C-alpha cells in the first residue's frame, strides 16, 4: 500500500474528515492554532499506530501496559509502527543528561574502561599493578598490635541467592563471610533475597600485627587475592583498606578498583561521588524555614526546583576520585563530557593512540563519532554531553530524540513530529531539514506538525487544516505541494505562501531616546559583552541556537532589572512571561488564571435562580465546598496514582466531569449552567458575554493572542508551553493601565503559531509598546524580528564560538552586516516585503 488511508476521523474538533497520506514521504500538517493538526497527527494517526502495536503484544504484557482507547475514526489502513517525537520535556530526573539520553555516555564509559590510563587520585602519577610483596609490606607497616582481618570480595553488588558460591566457600574450608555488612558463619543456613543486590566478602584470616606473622600473612594474602580476583580488603577497627594486584600508586599507597564501565557511571555505587551520590549538586533543605514551606515544595516536587550548590567533593563532576583519575590523552571522562558536541567531535577525531589501543577502541569510537555527527546535523553542536536533560528546551529535547532515531537507522517506521523547527535559527534550520529528508530516504514516513515556511515548502506533501480554530476548524482545506496549497484561495496557509497575505514591515521605527546599559556580561559562554536595552521600545535578542541569548536575557538582564530601582524611570515592575505551566493540576485553567472566573461567578450569583436558593458567588467555584462535586473535589477527574509511572486521571463517574453537584447545575444564565460556560471556547464565550464589559475585556485579549479555541475550563496542565505563555501575555494586557510603565520579557512567544496567529501576536505586542511598556523578546521568527525597533544579534555560532555581539541596531542596519546570519536572512524578507526599503 502506497498511502495511509484515513476515513471518518472525528477526534476532538475533526469533522469526519477523510484523506490519504502518501507513505515514505515527508508530509507536513499545518493550519492555525487549534485547527486540529495535533488531533489528526498525534491523537488519531499515532494513537492508532500505538494501539495496534500494543494489541499485538501478549496478554501478559498488555496487563501491565493497558490498551488505550481506539480513536474516533471509522478506518485507518496502511499504518506502520509509529514513533512520536514531541516537544515535552518530561525527564526532570537530575541524573539524566544529553550524554545518557543519546547513549554516547555509555560508549564513553566503555571506552575509558578499555583504553583509559589510571592515575593516582592524590599525586596524579600514572599507577601500575602492585606485587604481593608490595601489598605485604604495606600491611606489615600497620601499627604493632593492630588487629585486622583479610577479606576477599567474591560477590560485589549483584542480585541472586548466591547459594552455589556460599557452598563452594564452605567446601573450600572458609568459616565466615561478611554479607551486606554483617558477619555470618558459613555452616549456618543463609537465605538471601533473589531480587536484591548483595555483596559477599569471605573472611580469609584474622591476625594481629606482630613480628612472627609474615609467613602466615603471605599465605593468607595469596589465598585472598586468588578468591578476590586480585583484590583484597584489610579491615581494621573502623577502617577498610583496599589493595589490588592490578592498579596502585606505590608512593601514596593507594590501590584503585577494577576499571570497568560501572566505575564511570554516576548512577552506580562504584562510580558515584560519595558526597553527592552522583548528582553533582548538594541541595540546601535549610532554605525552607517552616514545615509549611517544606510541604509546599514537595507537593510539586522536582529536584531542579531546590536551592543547590556544586558538590564540594567532586565539584559537580558527579564521579568519585578513582573514576576521575582515569584519563585518555590527558582528559578524564567528566572533562570530555563537559566539552560541547562540536569540541567533543574534534577531540575524538584527533586522538593519538598506539596500535593496540586503536584496535580496541575502533568500534566504540565509530559509534561515538556517528552519534556526535547526528547531534551536529540537527543543530545541537553547542550542547555539552553533561548538560542536564531537565534544562533543555522542548525543541532541544525533540531534536535529541530525533538524532537518536537517526542513529538507530530504522526503516519502514512512521515518525510523527511536533514542530521540530522550534528554537532554531534559519541558519540551523537547513541542517534540520537535511536530517528529516535523510530519515525519509531511509524508507520512513514523516508526518510533521509545523508552521515554519521553509519546512512547509520543503515537504513532499502538505495537509492544510482549518480554516479557523476550534469549532471553526477540523476540516481539510487543501492538500498537495506548496504550489498547489498556494493556489487554494480558501487556505490561510496558501494566502501567506502565495503573498496574498503577509505580515508587513513597520513604516517607521520608534525613536530610541532612553536606554539601560548592561556591561561586562560574562556568564556561561558570554564573552564579557556590553549591551543596551532601549526603553519604551520592542527589542529582539537573536542569534543561532546556543549563541547565548537565554543566558544574556534570563541570567543577566532579568536579574539585574529586578535589583534596580526603576521608579525614577517611571517603571512599575519587570515581568518574565515564560513558557512554564500556569498550573500543574486539573484545577487550574485560563478562567481562574485571568480572573474572568470571578466575574462569571458573580454573574451567576445575581441570577434569580441563585437568589431564590440563597447561593453566593462561592457556590459556583469548584475550589470550595458547597457547590462542587465532593466525589472528585471539583476536579472533574479522579487521580489514580501509578507509583513509578505517571499518574492517570479518569473522569469522575458522579458528576460526569462537570465538577459541580446537581443543585448548582440547576442555576442557569441565558440557558447555560456554570459547567456549560466553562466548557465554552473563548470565542464562543466572547459572543455569549458580549454585553458584560469586565468579562468581554478579558476574553477579547485571549482572542487577540490567538487562544480563541481554548475552553475556559480546560485544565492548564494540558497547555503547551506556547499556549501557557500567551495566557500570561493576555493576563498582562487585560490588567487595568497604571500610572507607570512595565518591562516584559518573553522567550519565543511564536512557539506553535501559524502565520496568521503570528500576525495577531505582533499586533498585541505592539499594543504593549504603544502604551509605554518596554518589551524584550528572544526570537527566531523573522516576521517578529523585522517588527523590532532594536535588535541585538549574538553569535557568530553557538557554544564556545558564540557569546559575542555580532551586530546591533534596527532591522535595516542589521541586514547590512555580512557576518550576521540574522542580518542576511532579514535582508531577503525586507526586500521582498517592501521594495522601497531595498538594501
Amino acid at each position: 500500500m502506497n498511502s495511509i488511508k484515513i476515513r471518518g476521523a472525528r477526534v476532538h474538533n475533526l469533522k469526519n474528515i477523510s484523506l490519504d497520506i502518501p507513505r515514505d514521504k515527508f508530509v507536513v500538517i499545518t493550519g492555525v492554532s487549534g485547527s486540529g493538526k495535533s488531533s489528526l497527527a498525534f491523537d488519531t494517526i499515532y494513537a492508532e499506530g500505538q494501539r495496534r502495536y500494543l494489541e499485538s503484544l501478549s496478554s501478559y504484557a498488555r496487563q501491565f501496559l493497558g490498551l488505550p482507547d481506539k480513536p474516533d475514526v471509522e478506518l485507518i489502513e496502511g499504518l506502520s509502527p509509529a514513533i512520536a517525537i514531541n516537544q515535552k520535556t518530561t525527564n526532570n530526573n537530575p541524573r539524566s543528561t544529553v550524554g545518557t539520553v543519546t547513549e554516547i555516555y555509555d560508549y564513553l564509559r566503555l571506552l575509558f574502561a578499555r583504553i583509559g590510563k589510571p592515575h593516582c587520585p592524590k599525586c596524579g602519577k600514572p599507577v601500575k599493578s602492585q606485587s604481593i610483596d608490595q601489598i605485604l609490606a604495606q600491611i606489615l607497616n600497620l601499627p604493632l598490635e593492630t588487629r585486622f582481618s583479610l577479606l576477599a570480595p567474591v560477590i560485589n553488588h549483584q542480585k541472586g541467592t548466591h547459594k552455589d558460591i556460599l557452598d563452594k566457600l564452605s567446601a573450600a574450608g572458609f568459616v565466615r563471610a561478611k554479607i551486606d555488612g554483617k558477619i555470618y558463619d558459613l555452616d549456618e543456613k543463609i537465605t538471601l533475597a533473589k531480587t536484591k543486590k548483595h555483596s559477599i566478602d569471605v573472611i580469609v584470616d584474622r591476625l594481629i600485627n606482630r613480628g612472627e606473622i609474615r609467613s602466615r600473612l603471605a599465605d593468607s594474602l595469596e589465598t585472598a587475592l586468588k578468591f578476590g580476583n586480585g583484590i583484597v580488603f584489610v579491615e581494621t577497627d573502623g577502617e577498610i583498606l583496599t589493595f589490588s594486584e592490578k592498579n596502585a600508586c606505590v608512593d601514596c599507597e593507594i590501590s584503585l578498583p577494577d576499571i570497568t564501565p560501572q566505575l564511570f557511571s554516576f548512577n552506580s555505587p562504584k562510580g558515584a561521588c560519595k558526597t553527592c551520590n552522583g548528582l553533582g549538586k548538594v541541595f540546601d533543605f535549610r532554605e525552607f524555614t517552616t514545615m509549611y514551606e517544606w510541604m509546599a515544595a514537595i507537593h510539586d516536587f522536582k529536584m531542579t526546583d531546590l536551592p543547590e550548590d556544586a558538590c564540594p567533593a567532586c565539584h559537580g563532576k558527579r564521579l568519585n576520585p578513582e573514576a576521575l583519575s582515569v584519563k585518555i590523552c590527558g582528559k578524564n571522562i567528566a572533562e570530555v563530557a563537559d566539552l560541547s558536541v562540536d569540541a567533543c567531535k574534534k577531540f575524538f577525531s584527533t586522538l593519538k593512540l598506539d596500535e593496540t589501543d586503536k584496535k580496541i577502541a575502533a568500534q566504540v569510537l565509530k559509534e561515538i563519532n556517528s552519534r556526535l555527527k547526528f547531534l551536529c546535523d540537527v543543530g545541537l553542536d553547542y550542547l555539552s554531553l553533561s548538560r542536564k536533560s531537565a534544562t533543555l528546551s522542548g525543541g532541544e529535547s525533540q531534536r535529541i530524540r530525533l538524532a537518536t532515531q537517526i542513529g538507530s537507522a530504522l526503516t519502514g517506521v512512521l515518525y510523527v513530529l511536533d514542530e521540530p523547527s522550534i528554537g532554531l535559527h534559519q541558519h540551523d534550520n537547513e541542517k534540520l531539514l537535511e536530517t528529516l529528508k535523510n530519515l525519509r530516504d531511509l524508507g520512513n514516513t514523516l508526518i510533521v506538525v509545523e508552521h515554519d515556511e521553509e519546512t512547509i515548502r520543503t515537504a513532499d506533501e502538505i495537509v492544510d487544516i482549518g480554516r479557523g480554530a476550534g469549532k471553526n476548524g477540523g476540516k481539510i482545506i487543501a492538500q498537495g505541494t506548496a504550489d498547489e496549497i498556494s493556489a487554494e484561495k480558501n487556505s490561510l496557509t496558501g494566502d501567506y505562501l502565495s503573498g496574498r497575505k503577509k505580515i508587513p514591515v513597520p513604516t517607521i521605527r520608534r525613536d530610541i531616546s532612553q536606554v539601560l546599559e548592561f556591561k561586562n556580561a560574562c556568564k556561561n559562554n558570554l564573552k564579557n559583552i556590553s549591551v543596551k536595552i532601549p526603553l519604551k521600545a520592542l527589542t529582539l535578542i537573536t542569534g543561532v541556537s546556543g549563541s547565548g541569548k537565554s543566558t544574556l536575557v534570563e541570567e543577566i538582564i532579568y536579574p539585574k532589572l529586578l535589583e534596580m530601582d526603576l521608579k525614577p524611570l517611571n517603571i512599575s515592575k519587570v515581568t518574565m512571561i515564560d513558557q512554564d505551566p500556569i498550573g500543574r493540576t486539573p484545577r487550574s485553567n485560563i478562567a481562574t488564571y485571568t480572573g474572568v472566573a470571578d466575574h462569571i461567578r458573580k454573574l451567576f450569583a445575581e441570577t434569580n435562580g441563585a437568589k431564590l436558593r440563597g447561593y453566593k458567588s462561592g457556590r459556583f467555584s469548584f475550589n470550595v465546598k458547597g457547590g462542587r462535586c465532593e466525589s472528585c473535589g471539583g476536579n472533574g477527574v479522579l487521580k489514580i496514582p501509578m507509583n513509578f509511572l505517571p499518574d492517570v486521571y479518569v473522569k469522575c463517574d458522579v458528576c460526569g466531569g462537570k465538577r459541580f453537584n446537581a443543585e448548582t447545575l440547576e442555576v442557569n444564565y441565558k440557558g447555560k449552567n456554570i459547567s456549560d460556560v466553562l466548557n465554552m471556547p473563548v470565542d464562543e464565550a466572547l459572543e455569549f458575554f458580549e454585553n458584560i464589559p469586565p468579562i468581554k475585556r478579558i476574553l477579547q485579549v485571549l482572542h487577540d493572542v490567538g487562544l480563541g479555541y481554548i475552553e475556559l475550563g480546560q485544565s492548564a496542565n494540558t497547555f503547551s508551553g506556547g499556549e501557557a505563555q500567551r495566557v500570561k501575555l493576555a493576563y498582562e494586557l487585560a490588567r487595568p493601565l497604571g500610572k507607570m510603565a512595565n518591562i516584559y520579557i518573553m522567550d519565543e512567544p511564536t512557539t506553535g503559531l501559524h502565520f496568521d496567529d503570528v500576525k495577531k501576536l505582533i499586533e498585541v505586542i505592539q499594543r504593549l509598546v504603544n502604551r509605554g511598556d518596554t518589551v524584550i523578546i528572544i526570537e527566531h521568527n523573522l516576521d517578529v524580528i523585522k517588527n523590532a525597533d532594536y535588535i541585538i544579534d549574538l553569535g557568530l555560532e553557538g557554544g564556545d564560538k558564540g557569546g559575542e555581539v555580532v551586530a546591533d541596531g534596527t532591522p535595516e542596519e542589521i541586514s547590512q552586516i555580512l557576518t550576521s546570519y540574522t542580518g542576511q536572512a532579514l535582508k531577503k524578507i525586507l526586500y521582498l516585503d517592501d521594495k522601497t526599503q531595498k538594501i
Side-chain angles (χ1 to χ4, degrees), residues 29 68 114 247 263 347-348 423 428 484 497 562 824:
I29 299 178
R114 296 293 176 263
N247 295 307
L263 179 64
F347 172 76
F348 285 115
D428 302 311
E484 290 169 337
L497 290 177
L562 292 177
Q824 295 312 296

Side-chain angles (χ1 to χ4, degrees), residues 349-373:
S349 65
T350 57
L351 272 184
K352 294 180 180 178
L353 304 175
D354 59 36
E355 289 304 315
T356 301
D357 284 349
K358 276 183 183 177
K359 289 181 181 179
I360 295 171
Q363 190 59 38
V364 182
L365 285 173
K366 180 183 177 183
E367 294 292 341
I368 290 172
N369 286 323
S370 66
R371 281 165 169 76
L372 290 172
K373 177 182 179 297

Side-chain angles (χ1 to χ4, degrees), residues 280-352:
K281 301 283 184 179
V282 286
F283 298 93
D284 190 0
F285 294 95
R286 293 172 300 175
E287 292 284 326
F288 304 104
T289 56
T290 67
M291 180 61 71
Y292 176 80
E293 289 180 2
W294 169 245
M295 292 304 294
I298 64 172
H299 178 264
D300 210 3
F301 178 70
K302 287 195 304 181
M303 291 295 287
T304 50
D305 290 337
L306 292 174
E308 57 184 38
D309 294 299
C311 172
C314 67
H315 305 289
K317 302 301 182 185
R318 297 177 168 228
L319 296 168
N320 60 39
E322 292 77 17
L324 294 173
S325 68
V326 181
K327 299 181 179 181
I328 294 177
C329 292
K331 289 187 181 294
N332 63 40
I333 192 169
E335 290 170 333
V336 173
D338 283 341
L339 295 173
S340 68
V341 167
D342 185 49
C344 199
K345 192 164 174 281
K346 289 177 182 175
F347 172 76
F348 285 115
S349 65
T350 57
L351 272 184
K352 294 180 180 178

Side-chain angles (χ1 to χ4, degrees), residues 259-280:
I259 300 178
T260 64
Q262 288 80 9
L263 179 64
F264 305 101
S265 172
F266 42 76
N267 293 322
S268 165
K270 292 183 180 180
C273 168
K274 299 294 186 291
T275 302
C276 64
N277 292 318
L279 289 172

Side-chain angles (χ1 to χ4, degrees), residues 517-532:
E517 191 165 1
F518 300 83
K519 296 181 179 180
N520 309 119
C522 53
K523 194 166 187 178
N524 295 339
N525 70 331
L526 295 181
K527 296 179 173 61
N528 202 37
I529 64 173
S530 297
V531 298
K532 295 177 180 178

